[in-house]
Amino acid sequence: MTDWKATAAKYQDQYLADLKQLVAIDSSRDVENQTDEFPLGPGPAQALNQFLQFGERDGFTTKNIDNVVGYIEYGTGDDYFAILGHADTVPAGNGWDTNPFELLVEDGQAIGRGTSDDKGPALAAYYGLRILKDLGIEPKLKIRLIIGTDEETNWTGMKRYFETEPAPTAGFSPDAEFPLINGEKGNVTFETHFDGASAIAEQQLLSFNAGLKENMVPRDAEAFVTMEDPDTVLQEFDAFIGDAPISGSASIIGKQVHFEVVGKAAHGMEPRNGINAGTYLAMFLKQLPLDQTGTNFIRFITNNLHDDSRARQLGLQFTDETMGDLTMNVGLMTYDAETGGLVNTNFRYPKGIGPDEIQRQLEKAATPYQATVTQTNDMEPHFVPANDPLVTNLMDVYKEQTGQTNAQPEVVGGGTFARLMEHGVAFGALFPGTTDTMHQANEFQPMSDLLLAMSIYAQAIFMVTK
């Protein structure tokens, strides 16, 4: 009988050497440098090819599809079991204590962008597959580890895969939490658009910027305004900062005031875990006598969106007994006095409510501010019953290796590649009790967790393909 944990421990040094190479690559989507050869930018393609090079080095069959997705394959046969991970990350952002692209192992923690989401877990799954091969275990069902390169944006790579390759019979994604995610809420994004100002005013919102991605709570926000009495505004801002859970600064440049606010980044699936710097900055600016167009932009945010992850002010509070709450993340807020503004809202919704109702309520809220609403994407809720053999087999492995015999599968707001498979679930690699640092500065994953995940993945792949 294989001692999966002891076997995984033998690969620690090799795993860390490979993870170091992956973390060193800035693989956030790079539209400014995309080309025909690198449709998502050179960084995501480089990270994908690094994964494939590991597979080639270790004797697996590999395939690169247009530098946007690829796979590492083990076994033979027409049908196959899929493991869907991703090599891209969200941008590093500010607030790091270390270089986000230099893997640091300190006090048992692997620190760097992607260690938790999803380079560390996807590599652990790869090593689970490698363990089977090194042990000479031939699966009865072919296995493919498929690596996407823009999971953090619009899934171009993985969608391409399912357009060009046959679908798997079943699979899991190592891109969420343990014990197991058998349900994922729907995921829809809307943009609310504002016109620019028709004339220059003495007291005016000139610009406003907050956020990096729709699925991140904005850590940083800044705005420029023109004011007749900027000194008074600085005093008011200092008082506001003192009473709010944020930090910030303001400076005077002529008659302009430059405001900067720092909150806390978090994954957009649960905005309560972060502090939205953009909506807090808007809360301060709403006190100022700004031009009407700028006021419309600011008051739409403050009156409908601020500190309201359950969208109560929009009339969208909704809870399903199985899938939980509808949640809303205000991920991007931009405004320019000449060209206008945009507010990006991302909703994770359970069954029982959908994009049409969300859009109706957004439009109702936007109308008084002369704004228009458009939908940019949508993924419907996904659910696999808890008594499905895929779920029970994976849960049995998790319980055996962790001793958590009362563990139960869960439903989350995060969206993983698992939903692209009719018979797919998300399986790790964040353990209960481990701090979730996905999409945050100083992202980390405990090495003990990564090695345990490797052990679980090796046994799980063995169980579901024997």
Side-chain angles (χ1 to χ4, degrees):
M1 183 175 179
T2 303
D3 185 335
W4 300 103
K5 292 180 182 178
T7 302
K10 296 176 182 178
Y11 287 85
Q12 176 172 332
D13 291 345
Q14 298 173 64
Y15 172 88
L16 280 173
D18 288 349
L19 183 59
K20 181 178 181 179
Q21 294 188 64
L22 289 171
V23 169
I25 301 168
D26 181 353
S27 55
S28 58
R29 183 166 178 166
D30 185 4
V31 294
E32 292 184 0
N33 294 297
Q34 65 186 34
T35 63
D36 290 342
E37 183 180 6
F38 304 121
L40 303 172
Q46 184 183 353
L48 167 64
N49 280 287
Q50 187 63 71
F51 259 106
L52 299 182
Q53 287 174 27
F54 296 153
E56 293 167 4
R57 175 196 66 192
D58 298 329
F60 292 101
T61 298
T62 66
K63 183 177 181 179
N64 182 326
I65 303 173
D66 304 325
N67 272 327
V68 296
V69 67
Y71 63 79
I72 298 168
E73 184 177 274
Y74 182 49
T76 59
D78 294 330
D79 296 331
Y80 69 97
F81 185 89
I83 305 164
L84 276 57
H86 65 92
D88 62 304
T89 66
V90 296
N94 298 320
W96 286 78
D97 298 325
T98 62
N99 182 346
F101 303 113
E102 183 176 338
L103 179 67
L104 174 66
V105 180
E106 186 174 74
D107 297 327
Q109 313 283 10
I111 305 167
R113 179 55 91 213
T115 52
S116 181
D117 182 19
D118 182 43
K119 292 175 178 178
L123 187 65
Y126 169 73
Y127 267 83
L129 187 61
R130 179 179 166 183
I131 286 171
L132 265 62
K133 182 177 181 295
D134 289 352
L135 291 176
I137 298 174
E138 290 281 348
K140 294 183 179 179
L141 186 65
K142 183 169 62 179
I143 306 161
R144 281 186 182 178
L145 172 63
I146 308 166
I147 301 296
T149 55
D150 66 338
E151 192 274 345
E152 302 294 358
T153 50
N154 62 5
W155 296 16
T156 300
M158 200 60 75
K159 290 176 182 177
R160 178 80 55 83
Y161 177 88
F162 279 89
E163 291 169 356
T164 59
E165 297 287 330
T169 57
F172 68 79
S173 176
D175 186 27
E177 305 166 4
F178 284 124
L180 181 142
I181 306 301
N182 68 321
E184 299 181 7
K185 298 176 187 177
N187 188 329
V188 64
T189 299
F190 294 92
E191 292 180 347
T192 303
H193 299 267
F194 299 79
D195 292 333
S198 58
I200 298 175
E202 291 186 357
Q203 301 195 140
Q204 185 169 33
L205 177 64
L206 299 176
S207 66
F208 186 106
N209 286 285
L212 297 172
K213 292 280 187 180
E214 66 186 45
N215 60 352
M216 294 176 68
V217 176
R219 174 187 180 273
D220 301 286
E222 69 169 358
F224 285 88
V225 303
T226 54
M227 298 299 299
E228 290 184 346
D229 187 4
D231 291 323
T232 300
V233 173
L234 292 190
Q235 297 173 15
E236 294 172 349
F237 184 70
D238 288 342
F240 177 81
I241 291 294
D243 292 335
I246 53 175
S247 60
S249 63
S251 58
I252 299 173
I253 308 171
K255 283 198 172 183
Q256 291 185 19
V257 185
H258 178 213
F259 299 98
E260 293 182 291
V261 167
V262 178
K264 178 185 176 183
H267 196 299
M269 70 176 177
E270 182 43 274
R272 285 177 175 171
N273 292 334
I275 300 172
N276 195 313
T279 66
Y280 267 99
L281 179 54
M283 287 297 290
F284 172 74
L285 296 179
K286 78 170 186 177
Q287 307 172 41
L288 305 183
L290 300 173
D291 62 295
Q292 187 58 56
T293 307
T295 296
N296 283 342
F297 173 79
I298 293 298
R299 290 195 177 271
F300 172 76
I301 296 170
T302 60
N303 292 350
N304 298 288
L305 309 178
H306 173 65
D307 196 24
D308 190 12
S309 66
R310 269 52 186 174
R312 294 179 177 88
Q313 296 172 100
L314 291 172
L316 289 169
Q317 182 179 2
F318 184 86
T319 301
D320 173 76
E321 183 177 346
T322 300
M323 304 195 82
D325 295 345
L326 174 147
T327 64
M328 173 186 69
N329 181 52
V330 191
L332 296 168
M333 290 154 276
T334 63
Y335 180 85
D336 179 270
E338 294 185 3
T339 59
L342 177 148
V343 177
N344 179 295
T345 44
N346 175 247
F347 296 84
R348 311 298 172 103
Y349 63 93
K351 59 184 180 179
I353 191 170
D356 290 346
E357 174 64 16
I358 296 171
Q359 182 160 356
R360 278 195 296 270
Q361 294 301 104
L362 268 175
E363 289 175 341
K364 181 180 177 181
T367 297
Y369 304 101
Q370 289 77 57
T372 58
V373 178
T374 57
Q375 178 182 326
T376 64
N377 61 32
D378 177 46
M379 291 183 287
E380 296 180 351
H382 173 74
F383 187 75
V384 178
N387 61 358
D388 185 280
L390 173 66
V391 176
T392 57
N393 282 334
L394 295 179
M395 285 295 300
D396 285 346
V397 173
Y398 175 82
K399 291 176 182 179
E400 178 183 334
Q401 292 220 21
T402 64
Q404 297 176 12
T405 56
N406 294 323
Q408 297 294 325
E410 303 171 355
V411 176
V412 298
T416 74
F417 287 148
R419 66 167 67 235
L420 294 175
M421 300 177 284
E422 183 176 350
H423 209 59
V425 298
F427 190 45
L430 186 70
F431 283 91
T434 296
T435 302
D436 181 357
T437 57
M438 298 181 191
H439 296 197
Q440 299 180 37
N442 303 313
E443 178 182 351
F444 73 87
Q445 190 87 322
M447 272 307 304
S448 57
D449 284 8
L450 290 167
L451 289 174
L452 180 54
M454 185 193 304
S455 173
I456 290 173
Y457 289 145
Q459 184 180 2
I461 297 168
F462 170 73
M463 287 290 295
V464 297
T465 60
K466 68 177 182 179

Short mmCIF file of all heavy atoms in Angstrom, two decimals, residues 208-228:
data_model
loop_
_atom_site.label_atom_id
_atom_site.label_comp_id
_atom_site.label_asym_id
_atom_site.label_seq_id
_atom_site.Cartn_x
_atom_site.Cartn_y
_atom_site.Cartn_z
N PHE A 208 -10.74 59.96 -11.46
CA PHE A 208 -10.95 59.01 -10.35
C PHE A 208 -10.52 57.65 -10.88
O PHE A 208 -10.94 57.25 -11.97
CB PHE A 208 -12.42 59.00 -9.94
CG PHE A 208 -12.74 58.17 -8.72
CD1 PHE A 208 -13.04 58.79 -7.51
CD2 PHE A 208 -12.76 56.79 -8.76
CE1 PHE A 208 -13.36 58.05 -6.38
CE2 PHE A 208 -13.06 56.04 -7.63
CZ PHE A 208 -13.36 56.67 -6.44
N ASN A 209 -9.70 56.94 -10.11
CA ASN A 209 -9.26 55.60 -10.53
C ASN A 209 -9.14 54.69 -9.32
O ASN A 209 -8.51 55.04 -8.31
CB ASN A 209 -7.91 55.68 -11.23
CG ASN A 209 -8.01 56.24 -12.63
OD1 ASN A 209 -8.46 55.57 -13.55
ND2 ASN A 209 -7.61 57.49 -12.80
N ALA A 210 -9.74 53.50 -9.45
CA ALA A 210 -9.63 52.49 -8.40
C ALA A 210 -9.79 51.11 -9.02
O ALA A 210 -10.65 50.91 -9.88
CB ALA A 210 -10.70 52.70 -7.33
N GLY A 211 -8.95 50.17 -8.60
CA GLY A 211 -9.13 48.78 -9.00
C GLY A 211 -8.21 48.34 -10.11
O GLY A 211 -7.82 49.12 -10.97
N LEU A 212 -7.90 47.02 -10.09
CA LEU A 212 -7.07 46.39 -11.11
C LEU A 212 -7.84 45.36 -11.92
O LEU A 212 -7.61 45.23 -13.13
CB LEU A 212 -5.87 45.69 -10.45
CG LEU A 212 -4.87 46.59 -9.71
CD1 LEU A 212 -3.86 45.74 -8.95
CD2 LEU A 212 -4.17 47.51 -10.69
N LYS A 213 -8.74 44.62 -11.28
CA LYS A 213 -9.50 43.57 -11.93
C LYS A 213 -10.90 43.53 -11.35
O LYS A 213 -11.12 43.86 -10.18
CB LYS A 213 -8.85 42.19 -11.70
CG LYS A 213 -7.50 42.01 -12.40
CD LYS A 213 -7.69 41.68 -13.86
CE LYS A 213 -6.36 41.33 -14.51
NZ LYS A 213 -6.50 41.01 -15.93
N GLU A 214 -11.86 43.07 -12.14
CA GLU A 214 -13.23 43.00 -11.66
C GLU A 214 -13.40 42.01 -10.53
O GLU A 214 -14.32 42.14 -9.71
CB GLU A 214 -14.17 42.63 -12.80
CG GLU A 214 -13.97 41.25 -13.36
CD GLU A 214 -14.84 40.98 -14.58
OE1 GLU A 214 -14.90 41.84 -15.47
OE2 GLU A 214 -15.43 39.90 -14.64
N ASN A 215 -12.50 41.00 -10.44
CA ASN A 215 -12.62 40.00 -9.39
C ASN A 215 -11.68 40.25 -8.22
O ASN A 215 -11.34 39.34 -7.48
CB ASN A 215 -12.42 38.60 -9.95
CG ASN A 215 -11.04 38.41 -10.59
OD1 ASN A 215 -10.28 39.37 -10.75
ND2 ASN A 215 -10.73 37.18 -10.95
N MET A 216 -11.26 41.51 -8.06
CA MET A 216 -10.45 41.91 -6.90
C MET A 216 -11.12 43.09 -6.21
O MET A 216 -11.61 44.00 -6.87
CB MET A 216 -9.05 42.33 -7.33
CG MET A 216 -8.18 41.25 -7.92
SD MET A 216 -6.58 41.92 -8.50
CE MET A 216 -5.81 42.38 -6.95
N VAL A 217 -11.11 43.09 -4.88
CA VAL A 217 -11.50 44.28 -4.13
C VAL A 217 -10.36 45.30 -4.27
O VAL A 217 -9.21 44.98 -3.97
CB VAL A 217 -11.74 43.96 -2.65
CG1 VAL A 217 -12.06 45.22 -1.87
CG2 VAL A 217 -12.87 42.94 -2.50
N PRO A 218 -10.64 46.53 -4.74
CA PRO A 218 -9.57 47.50 -4.94
C PRO A 218 -8.85 47.89 -3.64
O PRO A 218 -9.49 48.32 -2.69
CB PRO A 218 -10.29 48.71 -5.54
CG PRO A 218 -11.54 48.15 -6.14
CD PRO A 218 -11.94 47.03 -5.23
N ARG A 219 -7.54 47.75 -3.66
CA ARG A 219 -6.74 48.19 -2.52
C ARG A 219 -6.43 49.67 -2.60
O ARG A 219 -6.35 50.35 -1.57
CB ARG A 219 -5.41 47.41 -2.48
CG ARG A 219 -4.44 47.89 -1.41
CD ARG A 219 -3.09 47.19 -1.55
NE ARG A 219 -2.14 47.64 -0.53
CZ ARG A 219 -1.33 48.69 -0.65
NH1 ARG A 219 -1.36 49.42 -1.76
NH2 ARG A 219 -0.50 49.01 0.32
N ASP A 220 -6.26 50.19 -3.81
CA ASP A 220 -5.79 51.57 -4.00
C ASP A 220 -6.80 52.37 -4.81
O ASP A 220 -7.44 51.85 -5.73
CB ASP A 220 -4.45 51.58 -4.73
CG ASP A 220 -3.39 50.81 -3.99
OD1 ASP A 220 -2.91 51.32 -2.97
OD2 ASP A 220 -3.06 49.68 -4.41
N ALA A 221 -6.90 53.65 -4.48
CA ALA A 221 -7.75 54.57 -5.22
C ALA A 221 -7.14 55.96 -5.18
O ALA A 221 -6.47 56.32 -4.20
CB ALA A 221 -9.17 54.59 -4.63
N GLU A 222 -7.37 56.73 -6.23
CA GLU A 222 -6.91 58.12 -6.25
C GLU A 222 -7.88 58.97 -7.05
O GLU A 222 -8.61 58.48 -7.91
CB GLU A 222 -5.50 58.23 -6.85
CG GLU A 222 -5.43 57.94 -8.33
CD GLU A 222 -4.08 58.33 -8.93
OE1 GLU A 222 -3.22 58.85 -8.20
OE2 GLU A 222 -3.91 58.11 -10.15
N ALA A 223 -7.87 60.26 -6.75
CA ALA A 223 -8.73 61.20 -7.46
C ALA A 223 -8.06 62.57 -7.47
O ALA A 223 -7.32 62.92 -6.55
CB ALA A 223 -10.10 61.29 -6.81
N PHE A 224 -8.34 63.34 -8.53
CA PHE A 224 -7.94 64.74 -8.62
C PHE A 224 -9.19 65.59 -8.72
O PHE A 224 -10.09 65.29 -9.52
CB PHE A 224 -7.07 64.98 -9.87
CG PHE A 224 -5.67 64.49 -9.75
CD1 PHE A 224 -5.35 63.17 -10.10
CD2 PHE A 224 -4.65 65.32 -9.31
CE1 PHE A 224 -4.04 62.71 -10.00
CE2 PHE A 224 -3.34 64.87 -9.21
CZ PHE A 224 -3.04 63.56 -9.56
N VAL A 225 -9.26 66.64 -7.90
CA VAL A 225 -10.39 67.57 -7.97
C VAL A 225 -9.84 69.00 -7.95
O VAL A 225 -8.74 69.25 -7.44
CB VAL A 225 -11.38 67.38 -6.79
CG1 VAL A 225 -11.91 65.96 -6.74
CG2 VAL A 225 -10.72 67.75 -5.47
N THR A 226 -10.60 69.92 -8.52
CA THR A 226 -10.27 71.34 -8.38
C THR A 226 -11.19 71.93 -7.32
O THR A 226 -12.40 71.66 -7.30
CB THR A 226 -10.46 72.10 -9.70
OG1 THR A 226 -11.78 71.87 -10.20
CG2 THR A 226 -9.46 71.64 -10.74
N MET A 227 -10.61 72.73 -6.43
CA MET A 227 -11.37 73.31 -5.32
C MET A 227 -10.97 74.76 -5.12
O MET A 227 -9.81 75.13 -5.31
CB MET A 227 -11.11 72.52 -4.03
CG MET A 227 -11.53 71.06 -4.06
SD MET A 227 -13.29 70.82 -4.34
CE MET A 227 -13.98 71.66 -2.93
N GLU A 228 -11.93 75.59 -4.70
CA GLU A 228 -11.63 77.00 -4.41
C GLU A 228 -10.84 77.13 -3.10
O GLU A 228 -10.02 78.04 -2.96
CB GLU A 228 -12.93 77.80 -4.32
CG GLU A 228 -13.62 77.99 -5.67
CD GLU A 228 -14.84 78.87 -5.55
OE1 GLU A 228 -15.29 79.09 -4.41
OE2 GLU A 228 -15.35 79.33 -6.59
#
